[in-house]
Amino acid sequence: MTDDWLKKWTEKKITLALELERGQCNGSYAEAVIILCSVISAIAADIWPGEGIDRKRFVELLTEYSDESLHLKRVSIPLLISYLRKNGSTKEIEILTKRFMPSCHTLVITGDDVDKYEQEIFSVCPKLVLKTVRANSYANILYKEVRCGYVHQYTTGDRAESWPMSSKNEHGYVSYVNRADLPDRLIYFDTNWLVKVIHSIVNKLDDKINEITNKSFNNWWLK
């Protein structure tokens, strides 16, 4: 896969995805994110071929080859709290809620409002396990709740939504949806943000795609 071919190929897929989201051919958010996530999967599979590593290479591509300003390593505080709630970690939930979450439970929030990097989280909850924290990163959540959700069930996973509550999403934000029937917010990944992610990956790989393609990799970011 040459860098020039990769750019042309991804642009075609991005254009198709965005047209579907706008309603062409009766398309929607679902069809758009299936295509955009498949682009990410395809690039990752070309770099690190093999069986049984799909999630790790998907996350690796996002965390190591996307622009840092897009925050793929950032951890979703609402989803981390949701995970801990299911596993009975009361003390950590109290700390994270008090330290990072707004006091108003109905406030509409974006990732910029509440989400943090793992260093900030460990500074207040040092006993949390790295694997647990990284499992709630944007990169892994995108794979599990959006990519796998739509590929296997044609819907988001239990912790994500297909529509935004925040008007900021026109600029491409990660944001959250409040549901009266759930104790925790659901995450929403904007397609404009996903397009920026793909562009940043392709640009970063521009001069490196040939030197890293087909080389083995064992030290995955996702533990």
Side-chain angles (χ1 to χ4, degrees):
M1 186 185 289
T2 64
D3 57 328
D4 185 58
W5 186 92
L6 178 61
K7 287 180 178 179
K8 291 179 180 178
W9 180 78
T10 53
E11 284 306 316
K12 287 181 179 179
K13 302 308 176 188
I14 287 170
T15 299
L16 174 60
L18 295 180
E19 286 299 316
L20 287 169
E21 187 184 33
R22 295 185 187 105
Q24 294 298 313
C25 298
N26 292 317
S28 66
Y29 178 83
E31 289 73 35
V33 294
I34 287 173
I35 292 172
L36 294 174
C37 287
S38 295
V39 168
I40 297 170
S41 287
I43 297 172
D46 191 68
I47 295 174
W48 301 291
E51 300 292 328
I53 57 171
D54 191 58
R55 180 168 66 127
K56 288 185 175 181
R57 67 190 177 195
F58 184 98
V59 172
E60 192 72 24
L61 184 66
L62 293 174
T63 55
E64 298 304 316
Y65 292 98
S66 66
D67 194 286
E68 290 184 3
S69 66
L70 296 168
H71 308 299
L72 272 300
K73 291 182 179 180
R74 187 184 271 175
V75 177
S76 167
I77 296 298
L79 269 62
L80 177 57
I81 289 173
S82 173
Y83 175 89
L84 294 173
R85 194 186 307 282
K86 292 178 181 179
N87 290 275
S89 303
T90 305
K91 182 178 179 181
E92 284 76 15
I93 291 173
E94 291 176 356
I95 294 171
L96 292 170
T97 301
K98 183 176 180 180
R99 184 69 175 81
F100 300 126
M101 294 295 290
S103 57
C104 178
H105 296 297
T106 59
L107 184 68
V108 177
I109 57 175
T110 69
D112 285 345
D113 296 324
V114 297
D115 295 336
K116 305 297 176 184
Y117 286 92
E118 60 188 52
Q119 295 89 339
E120 297 173 88
I121 294 170
F122 283 119
S123 70
V124 296
C125 292
K127 291 185 179 181
L128 283 176
V129 179
L130 180 62
K131 183 177 181 180
T132 296
V133 174
R134 290 190 176 180
N136 289 281
S137 65
Y138 288 174
N140 189 58
I141 294 166
L142 178 64
Y143 179 85
K144 186 176 180 181
E145 303 293 338
V146 178
R147 185 266 184 202
C148 289
Y150 277 110
V151 168
H152 298 300
Q153 302 171 167
Y154 220 87
T155 185
T156 57
D158 294 338
R159 303 193 298 163
E161 258 296 358
S162 60
W163 55 276
M165 286 189 81
S166 174
S167 60
K168 291 182 179 180
N169 278 295
E170 62 181 294
H171 303 297
Y173 278 74
V174 174
S175 64
Y176 291 93
V177 174
N178 303 337
R179 285 262 300 272
D181 59 328
L182 296 174
D184 300 301
R185 293 169 171 86
L186 305 179
I187 198 166
Y188 170 79
F189 292 108
D190 185 74
T191 51
N192 292 316
W193 176 78
L194 277 173
V195 169
K196 291 177 184 177
V197 169
I198 293 171
H199 280 154
S200 73
I201 289 171
V202 173
N203 290 334
K204 196 166 185 178
L205 289 176
D206 193 358
D207 298 323
K208 298 180 180 179
I209 186 72
N210 292 324
E211 67 184 61
I212 63 175
T213 298
N214 296 329
K215 289 188 177 180
S216 62
F217 191 89
N218 295 313
N219 189 26
W220 302 105
W221 184 83
L222 189 67
K223 302 302 181 184

